[in-house]
């Protein structure tokens, strides 16, 4: 009877990597590859769906393309003129990323989007339709948008500082992004200052 052959440690490691590439990596590569292809073809609806599928994956936050995919969902919405939906998605990431190294970025992303969004729209049946024309009352939202953006810039600044002081939490980020976290925290201060300095915008709301 032939003795069973025990694989060399290096062989076992190679086997693990192969299993990962065959079983786990495609879970990310599939939706992300589909999303990139659709986006490059300017098929923003299908791209957005694929990016969202990637972002919703249970291990997505460990992937080095997680941040890119989140930003691309927003980009797709904006390319289709869906400003309100882009803001809704950006805001939803704050709760989704709560208590992780991504939380500060989510606050900052939402705040910057608020400051860049159209600050006007139509109010119909009590609902504000941002960046849309048509029937209803024309309203401006700059003051409300600015107030909310400042709140989230301040939250982002606080969380950036706390994350920088917590090496374990900072280690949740992909290695190539950890060194960029301090510059981001500093940039957030300038974002906040810019929001504080912006006034007017034909006021109202």
């Amino acid at each position: 009877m032939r003795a069973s052959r025990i694989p060399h440690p290096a062989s076992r490691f190679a086997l693990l990597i192969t299993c990962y590439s065959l079983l786990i990596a495609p879970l990310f590569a599939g939706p992300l590859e589909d999303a990139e292809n659709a986006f490059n073809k300017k098929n923003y609806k299908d791209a957005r769906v694929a990016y969202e599928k990637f972002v919703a994956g249970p291990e997505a936050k460990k992937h080095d393309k997680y941040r890119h995919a989140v930003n691309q969902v927003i980009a797709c919405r904006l390319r289709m003129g869906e400003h309100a939906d882009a803001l809704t998605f950006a805001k939803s990431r704050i709760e989704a990323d709560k208590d992780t190294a991504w939380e500060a970025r989510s606050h900052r992303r939402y705040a910057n989007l608020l400051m860049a969004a159209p600050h006007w729209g139509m109010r119909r049946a009590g609902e504000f339709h941002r960046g849309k024309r048509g029937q209803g009352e024309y309203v401006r939202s700059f003051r409300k948008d600015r107030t909310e953006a400042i709140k989230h810039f301040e939250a982002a600044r606080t969380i950036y500082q706390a994350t920088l002081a917590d090496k374990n939490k900072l280690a949740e980020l992909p290695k190539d992004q950890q060194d960029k976290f301090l510059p981001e925290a500093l940039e957030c201060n300038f974002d906040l200052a810019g929001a504080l300095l912006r006034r007017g915008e034909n006021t109202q709301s």
Side-chain angles (χ1 to χ4, degrees), residues 38 44 53 65 84:
Y44 301 122
K53 183 178 180 180
K65 293 295 185 181

Side-chain angles (χ1 to χ4, degrees), residues 34-45:
D34 291 345
E36 299 284 63
N37 289 336
F39 187 87
N40 290 334
K41 293 176 182 176
K42 299 184 179 181
N43 182 353
Y44 301 122
K45 182 178 180 180

Side-chain angles (χ1 to χ4, degrees), residues 83-177:
H83 301 283
D85 290 326
L87 282 165
T88 298
F89 175 78
K91 190 173 185 178
S92 74
R93 299 317 305 167
I94 296 173
E95 184 61 31
D97 293 334
K98 189 173 179 60
D99 297 325
T100 72
W102 300 97
E103 185 178 3
R105 288 174 166 178
S106 292
H107 278 282
R108 184 186 177 207
R109 180 190 297 113
Y110 176 59
N112 272 318
L113 194 58
L114 269 171
M115 293 303 295
H119 304 297
W120 58 270
M122 307 301 296
R123 183 185 291 137
R124 293 193 292 271
E127 184 177 351
F128 178 52
H129 298 268
R130 186 183 296 272
K132 302 292 184 181
R133 301 186 185 276
Q135 294 182 336
E137 176 190 4
Y138 180 82
V139 295
R140 293 188 176 275
S141 61
F142 175 74
R143 283 181 10 185
K144 181 179 179 181
D145 293 339
R146 175 178 174 271
T147 298
E148 187 169 0
I150 288 171
K151 180 181 72 175
H152 286 279
F153 278 134
E154 289 175 337
R157 182 175 63 170
T158 299
I159 298 168
Y160 267 119
Q161 292 170 351
T163 304
L164 284 166
D166 186 340
K167 292 183 179 179
N168 291 330
K169 184 166 286 189
L170 195 60
E172 295 175 6
L173 295 172
K175 185 66 176 177
D176 66 327
Q177 296 186 29

Side-chain angles (χ1 to χ4, degrees), residues 20-58:
Y20 175 84
S21 63
L22 291 175
L23 300 176
I24 306 300
L27 297 178
F28 295 111
L32 188 58
E33 186 176 354
D34 291 345
E36 299 284 63
N37 289 336
F39 187 87
N40 290 334
K41 293 176 182 176
K42 299 184 179 181
N43 182 353
Y44 301 122
K45 182 178 180 180
D46 288 349
R48 189 264 304 168
V49 171
Y51 281 125
E52 286 186 343
K53 183 178 180 180
F54 173 84
V55 169

